[in-house]
């Protein structure tokens, strides 16, 4: 059990002539929750909740989202405050270790990050054997799970290794793996991490410097990347995080659990949406579709087209991360000399049209974090198929913190939901020759 929990009056359920009481409690922001763990034992009935729309799977001290008001807090700090005043690694430290680092903690965290930034030389062979068109998310997931064989010391949170070593190893190596997978895809030699560069500058340098090309990290691009990673750092029980907790609940190690989260993130309804947004915008431009055409086809159910980067399970108002990302994207493009980038103009025109349209208004569909980030990444020179990988880099501290919280929470159990069986009830095996 985590943090502050207040017990309230219990709730009553009447079923089949019996009245059963269930405890109700609230968390530190007043969200009322009915504890239904005893329901099946007491009544024989299950709850049915596809997509876990109304099910809290844990208590957590990490992140608070108010989807109606558009509020996002990490350990009590607003996303606006963190985005304006913290680097990505400070937010990572906050999520994982529970506080913003002081100068001494920050220095030792940076030193550890530097120490762990290289990947084992033998891992380079893996990259060489991927086809050049391999999706970076496939490479990333395989590489992260492979870390468990190169660094097997962490068998859950054991005495054999300090947790901050494993945590920094993952945080630091993920950007090296990401940059190496890019270099492999363009057929250029790998660029090693440098002890002289900070987290985001190091990543940009590994991506874009080459023996035949001078590359100096643009501090504005570095700041923008820092900000985008901060915006992705955690988002309570989203699809990939729930997967990380689920895999971790079986006793699987951190690397295996994070790998599962990376795979869950890949889908276009989740983190893959940042890639899908750009593909959608490019297609609209290349086909010469009008803004109205796009909006109308996104509204037609039979078209199976959605306005990618719009809508969210929890936010029923403007995603606060999207607000920050939109401004940062506009500023970055201005700095890079593309203030009238056609994709940005199209994205803003689609947003304006959607927000005025009764379909989007009634369903409370607003831009989410993925809507503007891809445009900014594209302007930085990052290829479209790497956008979701950048989401994974940003979300990593959240996954780690959630995995740790889950494994330390005495109330957590092996994740094992139920189902309602609706299949055949009394079949009998026929000899093969008699089967239809
Ligand atoms: N464009 C058009 N219609 C939409 C959109 C959209 N982007 N999103 C939802 N709707 C409609 C649905 O068709 C549905 O209509 P109905 O009530 O007539 O059936 C209604 O809005 C509710 O949608 P659901 O899919 O039931 O809502 P849910 O909470 O399950 O989905 C989701 C949220 C998956 C994010 C959805 O809004 C979507 O597909 N968006 C586009 C993909 C995207 O941007 N994903 C990134 C989300 S943020 C993240 O994961 C980091």
């Amino acid at each position: 059990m985590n943090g502050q929990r207040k017990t309230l009056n219990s709730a009553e359920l009447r079923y089949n002539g019996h009245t059963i009481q269930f405890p109700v409690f609230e968390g530190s922001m007043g969200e009322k929750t009915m504890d239904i763990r005893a329901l099946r034992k007491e009544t024989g009935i299950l709850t049915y909740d596809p997509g876990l729309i109304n099910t809290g799977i844990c208590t957590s001290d990490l992140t608070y989202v108010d989807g109606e008001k558009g509020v996002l807090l990490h350990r009590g700090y607003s996303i606006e405050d963190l985005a304006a005043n913290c680097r990505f690694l400070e937010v990572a430290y906050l999520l994982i270790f529970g506080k913003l680092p002081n100068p001494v903690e920050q220095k030792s965290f940076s030193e550890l990050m530097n120490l762990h930034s290289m990947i084992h030389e033998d891992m380079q062979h893996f990259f060489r054997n991927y086809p050049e068109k391999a999706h970076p998310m496939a490479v990333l997931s395989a590489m992260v799970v492979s870390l468990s064989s190169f660094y097997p010391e962490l068998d859950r949170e054991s005495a054999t290794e300090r947790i901050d070593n494993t945590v920094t190893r993952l945080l630091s190596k993920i950007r090296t793996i990401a940059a190496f997978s890019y270099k492999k895809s363009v057929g250029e030699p790998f660029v090693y991490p440098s002890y002289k560069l900070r987290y985001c500058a190091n990543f940009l340098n590994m991506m874009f410097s080459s023996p035949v090309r001078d590359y100096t990290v643009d501090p504005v691009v570095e700041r923008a990347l820092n900000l985008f990673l901060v915006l992705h750092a955690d988002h309570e029980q989203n699809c990939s995080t729930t997967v990380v907790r689920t895999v971790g609940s079986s006793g699987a190690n951190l690397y295996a659990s994070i790998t599962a989260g990376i795979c869950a993130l890949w889908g276009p309804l989740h983190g893959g949406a940042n890639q899908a947004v750009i593909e959608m915008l490019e297609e609209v431009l290349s086909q010469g579709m009008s803004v109205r055409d796009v909006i109308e086809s996104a509204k037609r159910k039979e078209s199976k087209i959605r306005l990618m980067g719009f809508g969210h399970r929890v936010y029923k108002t403007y995603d606060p991360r999207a607000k920050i990302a939109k401004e940062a994207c506009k500023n970055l493009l201005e700095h890079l000399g593309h203030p009238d980038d056609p994709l940005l103009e199209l994205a803003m025109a689609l947003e304006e049209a959607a927000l005025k349209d009764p379909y989007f208004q009634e369903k409370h569909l607003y831009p989410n974090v993925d809507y503007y980030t891809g445009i900014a990444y594209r302007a930085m020179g990052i290829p479209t198929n790497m956008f979701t990988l950048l989401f994974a880099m940003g979300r990593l501290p959240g996954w780690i913190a959630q995995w740790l919280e889950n494994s330390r929470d005495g109330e957590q159990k092996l994740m094992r939901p139920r189902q309602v069986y609706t299949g055949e009830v009394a079949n009998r095996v026929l000899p093969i020759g008699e089967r239809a």
Side-chain angles (χ1 to χ4, degrees):
M1 184 175 103
N2 298 297
Q4 304 160 35
R5 193 195 276 200
K6 192 161 127 205
T7 304
L8 305 173
N9 289 338
S10 53
E12 256 179 33
L13 175 79
R14 276 195 294 282
Y15 179 70
N16 261 355
H18 299 284
T19 302
I20 307 116
Q21 310 263 347
F22 293 99
V24 175
F25 66 92
E26 66 178 15
S28 48
M29 297 298 265
E31 191 148 54
K32 295 180 180 43
T33 307
M34 187 165 101
D35 180 346
I36 49 115
R37 282 176 289 180
L39 178 69
R40 187 167 177 276
K41 201 163 149 220
E42 299 279 331
T43 65
I45 54 177
L46 285 179
T47 53
Y48 179 59
D49 186 15
L52 301 178
I53 285 171
N54 199 52
T55 298
I57 60 161
C58 58
T59 59
S60 178
D61 295 350
L62 297 171
T63 292
Y64 172 73
V65 178
D66 182 330
E68 273 71 38
K69 296 198 183 113
V71 172
L72 169 60
L73 311 177
H74 296 313
R75 295 201 183 270
Y77 297 93
S78 76
I79 190 65
E80 291 79 9
D81 195 4
L82 293 170
N85 298 307
C86 291
R87 290 181 164 268
F88 173 60
L89 282 192
E90 290 175 271
V91 178
Y93 194 98
L94 169 72
L95 285 164
I96 296 167
F97 299 109
K99 69 184 282 283
L100 285 169
N102 61 31
V104 176
E105 289 160 341
Q106 186 163 23
K107 186 161 177 285
S108 77
F109 193 43
S110 288
E111 279 164 6
L112 264 183
M113 290 293 293
N114 179 40
L115 193 70
H116 289 305
S117 58
M118 286 189 297
I119 56 171
H120 196 290
E121 285 289 295
D122 289 348
M123 284 187 84
Q124 290 193 18
H125 300 303
F126 298 173
F127 287 97
R128 298 195 201 287
N129 292 324
Y130 277 103
E132 269 174 19
K133 296 230 159 6
H135 196 288
M137 288 296 275
V139 179
L140 180 72
S141 56
M143 288 293 169
V144 170
V145 83
S146 301
L147 288 174
S148 59
S149 40
F150 285 87
Y151 307 98
E153 299 88 335
L154 181 82
D155 177 17
R156 299 197 69 78
E157 207 174 348
S158 65
T160 51
E161 182 171 71
R162 285 180 40 184
I163 192 67
D164 45 358
N165 263 331
T166 305
V167 162
T168 44
R169 182 179 293 137
L170 243 179
L171 277 172
S172 193
K173 289 186 194 322
I174 196 170
R175 77 201 145 145
T176 312
I177 294 171
F180 279 22
S181 73
Y182 170 69
K183 286 298 193 191
K184 159 73 195 179
S185 74
V186 291
E188 287 187 9
F190 300 137
V191 175
Y192 281 65
S194 161
Y195 69 96
K196 292 183 191 146
L197 295 173
R198 285 169 173 267
Y199 191 83
C200 289
N202 225 330
F203 171 68
L204 291 166
N205 188 58
M206 285 190 277
M207 288 280 292
F208 298 122
S209 75
S210 109
V212 294
R213 197 176 50 235
D214 258 355
Y215 178 75
T216 314
V217 178
D218 178 340
V220 176
V221 174
E222 182 195 355
R223 255 200 316 279
L225 182 58
N226 239 304
L227 175 83
F228 290 125
L229 296 184
V230 167
L231 295 183
H232 288 89
D234 190 43
H235 210 239
E236 52 120 302
Q237 303 317 309
N238 54 82
C239 175
S240 54
T241 300
T242 303
V243 166
V244 170
R245 280 188 179 252
T246 302
V247 175
S249 80
S250 75
N253 66 56
L254 181 64
Y255 304 111
S257 308
I258 299 289
T259 301
I262 291 169
C263 294
L265 187 75
W266 194 354
L269 295 187
H270 189 18
N274 57 11
Q275 174 172 344
V277 170
I278 295 297
E279 288 167 350
M280 173 188 78
L281 296 174
E282 281 173 343
E283 192 175 328
V284 171
L285 281 183
S286 74
Q287 309 239 329
M289 287 169 80
S290 69
V291 165
R292 187 68 6 234
D293 288 343
V294 183
I295 297 292
E296 289 308 317
S297 62
K299 285 157 61 177
R300 269 198 317 277
K301 244 195 172 44
E302 6 21 291
S303 76
K304 301 244 184 297
I305 295 172
R306 285 191 166 194
L307 188 56
M308 299 310 286
F310 257 71
H312 196 274
R313 173 63 60 75
V314 181
Y315 290 121
K316 299 304 162 201
T317 184
Y318 215 111
D319 180 336
R321 302 165 301 171
K323 234 183 243 172
I324 301 170
K326 181 179 177 180
E327 276 319 296
C329 176
K330 284 190 340 201
N331 293 340
L332 178 72
L333 266 67
E334 184 133 3
H335 168 77
L336 294 173
H338 318 296
D340 39 15
D341 176 82
L343 289 197
L344 178 63
E345 287 190 343
L346 174 60
M348 292 201 298
L350 283 170
E351 177 191 337
E352 197 185 336
L355 296 185
K356 282 188 195 143
D357 191 291
Y359 171 95
F360 289 86
Q361 288 173 344
E362 278 153 26
K363 294 184 192 301
H364 306 288
L365 301 171
Y366 293 83
N368 59 50
V369 69
D370 290 320
Y371 194 62
Y372 284 104
T373 45
I375 299 174
Y377 293 149
R378 186 170 160 273
M380 291 176 189
I382 294 167
T384 312
N385 68 357
M386 279 194 74
F387 293 175
T388 311
L389 196 150
L390 284 179
F391 193 147
M393 272 171 62
R395 182 53 53 87
L396 185 58
W399 287 333
I400 295 171
Q402 299 264 0
W403 183 91
L404 284 169
E405 189 175 64
N406 210 65
S407 59
R408 290 167 181 165
D409 181 347
E411 281 198 340
Q412 284 300 326
K413 291 170 116 36
L414 173 72
M415 198 78 78
R416 200 321 184 171
R418 296 270 185 166
Q419 61 158 32
V420 182
Y421 178 67
T422 55
E424 303 271 356
V425 290
N427 272 334
R428 195 172 56 83
V429 176
L430 293 174
I432 190 158
E434 293 174 29
R435 295 176 205 162

